[in-house]
Amino acid sequence: MAKPTDEHFDPMSHVVPVSLYVTIWAALMVFTALTVFAATVELHIFNIVVALLIATIKGTLVVLFFMHLRYSTKLTMVTVVAAIFFLIIMFSLSMTDYLTRAWSTSIH
Amino acid sequence: MATSDMGDIQVAEHALQHHFADMEQQQETSTFGMWMFLLTEIMFFGGLFCAYLVYRASYYQAFVEGSQKMNIWLGATNTAVLICSSLSMALGVRAAQMGKPKLMAVLLLITIVFGCGFLGIKAVEYHEHWVNHEFPGPNFHFETGDPAHAATDPVHTEIYFSLYWAMTGLHALHMVIGVGLVTWIIIAGLGGAYSRSYFTPVENVGLYWHFVDLVWIYLFPLLYLISKKHGGG
């Protein structure tokens, strides 16, 4: 039955060293400064690409290390992938509608 | 150590619910459940991000003009404050993992201070927008420079501000709830509720806090940094 005192059970065998958390924090701060700086440079359409790329790098660091996804079960990883997957479906299907509406007005 | 291990065992026995085989299964189930909740939160915020995407694609110039009313330095400071709060939260969860409730309480208190700092700075920004009539509704007023050559309709800038208030407001609400949850964890932790073998609520509140940080990581560039070079500015 229940074995709450199981010697082998260590719910977080991965106690991450403080230095790793501080490194992630430093990286997040650097990327924040970088994204503010990048916004002052004229890159035309690539301004938004750079901004979202930096945000995604920062988000990935937060999810993998602060949220321990790197050390989580496959089930948890699948849950996160499912969230991204359905988010992409919502964005892409919505935009295929809105971005293609002008065609019909030009035809008429 | 022996007494602390005994304490651990007692907390673990108390914490293990009868429908789980062992603590490991209970912990995994709990983490999975928390991530499922966060998935619904991602879709919840995702709806607003989708609305943002649609209107930004339609009224890009109006969004540029609206975003130029943002105080980038306050926004960047708030981003840094949230990242610092996430660090102290991660270290607080780590302290809980190692069975150090007092260290955990101190680190989570620092997290609350950063969280309240974020809300304070946000309140200053909200006040600025409010007195500048940048709140959607009957008092909304937006100058588009020379009206004869105005490229944008103030109504479209109002849409930008509607999304700004809705998205940052929902985010701020999550911050307020987060501060409440962290307070609960501190009180429970100091009361001896957690140990090295049972700290699931700490881990899950940590996940929630980092998720709220994650939302802001996207809100900041999308609302504040649309473009500094485009438009009238």
Side-chain angles (χ1 to χ4, degrees), chain A residues 5 9 12 16 56 68 76, chain B residues 9 24 27 35 94 199 218:
Chain A
T5 60
F9 174 58
M12 292 287 146
V16 181
T56 303
H68 297 155
T76 307
Chain B
I9 290 163
E24 187 173 12
Q27 161 84 23
W35 273 104
R94 184 179 182 275
F199 53 86
Y218 280 93

Side-chain angles (χ1 to χ4, degrees), chain A residues 2 4-5 9 12 16 18 21 25 32 40 42 55-56 59 66-68 75-76 79-80 90-91 94-95 98, chain B residues 9 16 21 23-24 27 32 35 39 46-47 50 54 83-84 87 94 97 199 203 207 210 214 217-218 229:
Chain A
T5 60
F9 174 58
M12 292 287 146
V16 181
V18 172
Y21 285 136
W25 169 82
T32 301
T40 66
E42 179 57 271
T56 303
F66 282 172
M67 297 175 88
H68 297 155
L75 181 64
T76 307
T79 311
V80 177
M90 178 162 68
F91 290 166
S94 300
M95 291 318 281
Y98 283 101
Chain B
I9 290 163
L16 182 68
M23 289 298 282
E24 187 173 12
Q27 161 84 23
F32 173 60
W35 273 104
L39 189 153
C50 194
V54 167
I83 290 169
C84 291
L87 175 68
R94 184 179 182 275
Q97 285 176 332
F199 53 86
E203 171 88 3
L207 285 176
H210 296 310
L214 184 63
I217 283 175
Y218 280 93
K229 291 286 179 89

Side-chain angles (χ1 to χ4, degrees), chain B residues 100-102 104-105 183-194 202:
Chain B
K100 296 178 177 171
K102 278 180 186 156
M104 180 199 84
T183 308
W184 161 57
I185 292 293
I186 291 176
I187 293 167
L190 289 176
Y194 312 121
V202 190

Side-chain angles (χ1 to χ4, degrees), chain B residues 85-94 108 111 182 205-206 209-210:
Chain B
S85 81
S86 261
L87 175 68
S88 60
M89 174 52 89
L91 293 175
V93 172
R94 184 179 182 275
L108 293 192
T111 307
V182 175
V205 169
W209 191 272
H210 296 310

Side-chain angles (χ1 to χ4, degrees), chain A residues 63-74:
Chain A
V63 170
L64 282 183
F65 296 99
F66 282 172
M67 297 175 88
H68 297 155
L69 189 68
R70 197 168 178 274
Y71 315 99
S72 294
T73 57
K74 287 212 167 62

